[in-house]
Amino acid sequence: MKYLAIIFSLILISCTVTDHGAGKFTEEKNTVGTWSGYIERFSTTVLPDDKGEPYYKVIVLNCGKIPEIYVKLEEEGSFQKYYQNYDVLESSGSLLMNIIHDGGAWVESQTWGIVFISSQKADIQWSRMVSNVKAKETHSLRSFGELGYGEMKKVSNSCEKS
């Protein structure tokens, strides 16, 4: 009976699921708040609406289970929210967010990686792939990708996009 109780306990322990939500990690590492910075971007092709800006300004609001990401594509433009309801994984000072969005004629996947260096500094990486599924295989925009990398600083302990 003693061995049965031990085996049952081991089975329960092995079936425990780790919560990858923002809660414990962000509070312990003091990463909750507003983060701001720039990412340098690279594209596999020149896009028709590309203004040639090599940098995007990025704001990350990290106050809930799913951080919010806002990007300013041009200096005179406004910030645009990049999706919501990302899948989020966290571990040891790193945050990974990804999503696949099906727009019907196109499908886009995005991944954001954030490494919190300290309570005031973080590095950010972005990857985007688009498949224009209705375009011909030989069309220049049938599929393309973008990458970005940069640094962010914590600008506030609260979450306000300014």
Side-chain angles (χ1 to χ4, degrees):
M1 188 66 159
K2 177 178 165 185
Y3 294 111
L4 187 58
I6 292 172
I7 291 171
F8 182 72
S9 297
L10 289 174
I11 290 171
L12 282 177
I13 291 170
S14 67
C15 292
T16 302
V17 177
T18 302
D19 179 16
H20 292 290
K24 184 177 178 187
F25 168 79
T26 53
E27 290 171 12
E28 285 181 5
K29 297 293 184 182
N30 197 24
T31 62
V32 173
T34 301
W35 295 78
S36 180
Y38 289 87
I39 59 173
E40 183 174 7
R41 72 175 189 92
F42 308 91
S43 183
T44 60
T45 189
V46 177
L47 304 175
D49 58 350
D50 192 350
K51 305 270 194 267
E53 299 285 335
Y55 294 93
Y56 288 164
K57 185 165 184 180
V58 178
I59 292 177
V60 175
L61 305 181
N62 190 28
C63 290
K65 286 197 178 239
I66 300 175
E68 297 178 27
I69 298 173
Y70 295 85
V71 175
K72 190 174 185 179
L73 303 178
E74 51 195 64
E75 204 51 47
E76 64 276 352
S78 59
F79 282 95
Q80 298 174 0
K81 186 174 185 179
Y82 259 139
Y83 300 115
Q84 57 190 11
N85 299 323
Y86 288 91
D87 291 324
V88 179
L89 295 172
E90 294 179 309
S91 183
S92 302
S94 293
L95 172 70
L96 181 65
M97 301 169 51
N98 60 30
I99 192 167
I100 296 176
H101 180 80
D102 189 341
W106 54 272
V107 177
E108 176 176 358
S109 63
Q110 285 202 22
T111 301
W112 293 86
I114 301 173
V115 175
F116 294 101
I117 307 299
S118 70
S119 64
Q120 299 298 309
K121 181 182 177 194
D123 288 340
I124 187 166
Q125 183 174 334
W126 167 63
S127 171
R128 174 183 184 224
M129 283 296 300
V130 175
S131 172
N132 290 301
V133 296
K134 303 237 179 191
K136 291 184 179 183
E137 186 178 322
T138 56
H139 192 282
S140 64
L141 294 177
R142 172 58 174 90
S143 70
F144 62 90
E146 292 184 280
L147 300 170
Y149 178 82
E151 295 180 353
M152 296 187 305
K153 293 186 180 190
K154 189 174 193 178
V155 295
S156 174
N157 287 324
S158 64
C159 278
E160 300 168 4
K161 180 179 64 90
S162 50

